[in-house]
């Protein structure tokens, strides 16, 4: 479970700590057999400083606010001298309590802050920020840009590959965001390093991504566009990951909160940057379900977490589908864990992309959207995950038809074993049930009998072992 611990609840008065919520969360996780991923809402949450204690909010002298051209902002500046120390002290006390409790084994890793960066402006223009803006760029920032590649390096090279100078002289048009990344990464490194002294557990930072938000005003706002300030400026977005990695070595990995944009490209960027992929926030609809299967099967994600599952209830949109999807992935967990990376494939199909190749075990299969009459709603999606079992393929999913591809001409279905969620044999399918040996239909989550000239049973566990043979 991902659940927050906020600074305001653990230190309501400076130096007076109340860690009862930490104790309660640890106890609940252990009792329920869960793992708890604490989300530290410290100086920033979603680019704003809404979860800091009241004594921090009220003391603008010690903890300066960021400023934009329009005035003070509801953000603590990352350049203040005291904010990092206070944030780090509270975070360290939380991790120390976990260690002292004897229940730290339920904590696989910890998130430090939440979607940090400056939301609403490209650059902090407060007095304390301007002091740094008017100084030369630290050598560590130039070295990270030089060695990291990507957009920041391109900007540095465009300005003459300078080894010293002001932020504008060194980074040109990227200077505002480079300054903010340095400020946030430096702060978070101090917090993470203090916490690790108390509990040596992997630490990560999540990112509000830089991508166009296609959602309507009626939907929850989760993005602001491609420009710094529209998304939190200076946060660990893909083009700033080299800088974050260099400046925050106590952070083990960086994670994307993916609601929109190029899903595969985002997964690849973060997996490459950290050698692991954790997605702590993602969509909670059918596309989010499809992305879960794709992230695990194609990108090796360790964790996928549609946002706000605790608010779902029976009868809510997509409730049954999400419960079913987690059931399928849970049933496949051991199969996936023991398979080689190259033996796993994740895929999804929709009206825009109704066909997806699934090459596994040296055989090309094709998944196509299960929509024979063109009657599905625009948002209907088919999704699956396939694992090479050596001689057969185990597949779990919904809403698609899986058949041999064109390069496997002459291959037919030898056997299909439908399995329960405990992976026990449920039914053996053949003949009419597998299209005369041509493929397997992964029915949608529906209990009943199909209508038509020849009725068919659509009740389906969603998991099969598929074996092919070549007819010669």
């Amino acid at each position: 479970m991902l659940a927050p611990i906020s600074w305001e609840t653990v230190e309501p008065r400076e130096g007076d700590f109340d860690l009862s919520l930490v104790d309660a969360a640890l106890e609940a996780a252990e009792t329920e057999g869960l793992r708890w991923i604490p989300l530290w809402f410290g100086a920033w949450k979603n680019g704003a400083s809404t979860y800091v204690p009241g004594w921090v909010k009220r003391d603008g002298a010690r903890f300066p606010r960021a400023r934009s051209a329009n005035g003070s902002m509801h953000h603590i500046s990352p350049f203040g001298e005291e904010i990092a120390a206070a944030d780090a002290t509270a975070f360290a006390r939380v991790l120390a309590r976990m260690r002292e409790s004897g229940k730290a084994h339920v904590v696989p890793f910890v998130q430090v802050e939440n979607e940090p960066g400056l939301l609403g402006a490209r650059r902090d223009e407060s007095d304390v920020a301007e002091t740094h803006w008017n100084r030369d760029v630290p050598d560590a920032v130039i070295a990270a840009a030089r060695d990291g590649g990507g957009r920041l390096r391109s900007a540095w090279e465009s300005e003459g590959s300078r080894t010293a100078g002001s932020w504008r002289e060194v980074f040109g048009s990227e200077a505002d965001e480079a300054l903010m990344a340095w400020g946030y990464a430096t702060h978070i490194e101090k917090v993470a390093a203090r916490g690790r002294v108390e509990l040596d557990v992997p630490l990560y930072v999540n990112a509000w991504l830089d991508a166009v938000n296609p959602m309507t005003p009626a939907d929850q706002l989760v993005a602001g566009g491609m420009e710094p300030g529209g998304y939190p400026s200076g946060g660990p977005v893909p083009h700033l990951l080299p800088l974050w990695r260099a400046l925050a070595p106590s952070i083990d990995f960086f994670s994307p909160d993916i609601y929109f944009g190029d899903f595969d490209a985002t997964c690849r960027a973060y997996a490459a940057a950290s050698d692991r992929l954790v997605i702590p926030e993602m969509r909670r609809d059918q596309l989010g379900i499809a992305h879960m299967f794709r992230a695990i099967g194609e990108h090796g994600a360790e964790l996928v977490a549609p946002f706000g599952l605790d608010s779902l209830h029976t009868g809510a949109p997509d409730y049954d589908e999400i419960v079913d999807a987690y059931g399928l992935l849970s049933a496949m967990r051991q199969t996936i864990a023991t398979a080689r990376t190259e033996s796993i494939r994740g895929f999804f199909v929709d009206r825009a992309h109704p066909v997806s190749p699934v090459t596994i075990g040296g055989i090309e299969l094709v998944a196509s959207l299960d929509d024979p009459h063109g009657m599905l709603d625009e948002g209907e999606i088919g999704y699956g995950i396939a694992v090479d079992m050596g001689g057969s393929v185990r597949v779990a999913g919904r809403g698609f038809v899986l058949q041999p591809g064109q390069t496997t001409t002459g291959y037919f279905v030898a056997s299909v074993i439908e399995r329960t969620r405990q992976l026990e044999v449920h039914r053996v399918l053949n003949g009419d049930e597998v299209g005369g040996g041509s493929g397997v239909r992964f029915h949608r989550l529906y209990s009943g009998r199909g209508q038509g000239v020849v009725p068919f049973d659509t009740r389906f566990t969603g998991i099969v072992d598929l074996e092919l043979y070549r007819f010669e």
Side-chain angles (χ1 to χ4, degrees):
M1 64 178 182
L2 293 90
I5 287 291
S6 67
W7 187 1
E8 64 179 347
T9 61
V10 301
E11 194 181 9
R13 292 165 296 280
E14 186 170 8
D16 183 7
F17 288 91
D18 178 1
L19 300 170
S20 57
L21 284 179
V22 177
D23 296 336
L26 291 168
E27 180 67 28
E30 187 171 64
T31 300
E32 298 297 328
L34 300 174
R35 309 291 295 281
W36 174 34
I37 301 169
L39 315 178
W40 174 242
F41 289 178
W44 304 287
K45 195 270 184 185
N46 291 25
S49 301
T50 51
Y51 285 88
V52 299
W55 54 270
V56 174
K57 292 177 180 176
R58 289 187 288 267
D59 196 343
R62 285 180 64 196
F63 310 108
R65 302 297 182 274
R67 290 183 64 86
S68 70
N70 297 321
S72 292
M73 305 175 71
H74 195 49
H75 307 65
I76 303 294
S77 172
F79 302 105
E81 293 184 0
E82 295 195 42
I83 185 62
D87 193 359
T89 296
F91 182 67
R93 287 294 296 269
V94 169
L95 266 61
R97 186 57 161 253
M98 294 177 186
R99 171 178 50 78
E100 294 161 357
S101 72
K103 297 181 173 65
H105 58 274
V106 305
V107 178
F109 33 78
V110 179
Q111 179 180 295
V112 188
E113 312 299 340
N114 185 85
E115 297 182 343
L118 186 66
L119 190 61
R122 293 181 63 90
R123 176 169 63 85
D124 179 6
E125 298 181 34
S126 66
D127 290 343
V128 66
E130 287 293 291
T131 298
H132 293 284
W133 176 250
N134 293 321
R135 293 175 180 167
D136 280 358
V137 178
D139 292 341
V141 176
I142 296 176
R146 180 195 64 219
D147 299 337
R151 200 161 102 189
L152 202 58
R153 176 170 176 166
S154 296
W156 173 69
E157 291 176 336
S158 296
E159 299 302 321
S161 302
R162 298 173 64 107
T163 57
S166 70
W167 291 88
R168 187 69 73 191
E169 289 171 337
V170 172
F171 292 116
S173 62
E174 300 293 326
D176 291 343
E177 196 170 19
L179 172 75
M180 298 313 300
W182 173 71
Y184 283 106
T186 300
H187 173 113
I188 287 176
E189 169 58 22
K190 293 175 182 176
V191 175
R194 280 284 304 277
R196 172 150 279 142
V197 170
E198 300 296 340
L199 182 65
D200 189 11
V201 64
L203 305 174
Y204 77 97
V205 179
N206 64 327
W208 176 328
L209 295 174
D210 53 334
V212 175
N213 178 12
M215 304 180 79
T216 66
D219 293 316
Q220 181 181 5
L221 294 177
V222 294
M226 295 291 292
E227 291 298 316
Y231 63 88
S233 179
V237 291
H239 65 271
L240 292 175
L241 286 176
L243 189 55
W244 273 86
R245 289 200 310 270
L247 299 177
S250 295
I251 296 299
D252 295 275
F253 60 97
F254 299 91
S255 294
D257 293 344
I258 312 179
Y259 293 94
F260 45 86
D262 189 327
F263 184 82
D264 287 317
T266 299
C267 289
R268 285 192 294 268
Y270 282 88
S274 303
D275 292 325
R276 66 194 304 180
L277 179 61
V278 167
I279 306 177
E281 293 185 29
M282 58 198 305
R283 300 173 66 109
R284 200 188 66 181
D285 55 10
Q286 286 201 35
L287 181 56
I289 294 171
H291 282 166
M292 288 198 298
F293 280 75
R294 180 73 174 171
I296 294 171
E298 204 64 22
H299 300 289
E302 299 175 44
L303 179 146
V304 287
F307 183 80
L309 290 182
D310 55 327
S311 65
L312 279 178
H313 56 84
T314 303
D318 299 312
Y319 174 84
D320 291 335
E321 287 81 1
I322 288 175
V323 171
D324 176 69
Y326 267 104
L328 291 173
L329 292 174
S330 179
M332 293 286 287
R333 180 171 55 184
Q334 190 61 29
T335 301
I336 293 169
T338 56
R340 301 187 310 276
T341 301
E342 62 272 18
S343 299
I344 309 171
R345 289 292 175 265
F347 55 92
F348 65 90
V349 287
D350 56 21
R351 293 286 293 277
H353 304 91
V355 176
S356 174
V358 184
T359 301
I360 190 164
I363 297 177
E364 179 190 304
L365 302 172
V366 173
S368 53
L369 187 65
D370 185 16
D371 184 20
H373 305 296
M375 300 294 289
L376 290 179
D377 294 335
E378 189 68 28
E380 292 287 350
I381 296 175
Y383 46 85
I385 191 165
V387 180
D388 180 14
M389 303 292 289
S392 65
V393 179
R394 181 164 293 166
V395 188
R398 298 284 182 187
F400 62 94
V401 178
L402 192 64
Q403 298 172 296
Q406 291 184 352
T407 62
T408 51
T409 303
Y411 277 88
F412 291 88
V413 173
S415 69
V416 175
I417 298 174
E418 184 182 359
R419 294 193 176 274
T420 67
R421 296 297 169 85
Q422 292 74 41
L423 299 184
E424 298 170 347
V425 175
H426 178 58
R427 295 185 298 183
V428 176
L429 308 179
N430 216 320
D432 294 345
E433 298 145 336
V434 294
S438 64
V440 186
R441 173 167 276 111
F442 285 72
H443 298 290
R444 299 181 182 281
L445 185 61
Y446 173 74
S447 182
R449 294 186 178 277
Q451 301 300 311
V453 177
V454 181
F456 58 91
D457 193 347
T458 63
R459 292 172 294 189
F460 182 55
T461 65
I463 304 174
V464 305
D465 283 355
L466 169 66
E467 185 178 344
L468 301 177
Y469 78 103
R470 187 159 193 168
F471 183 77
E472 296 180 0

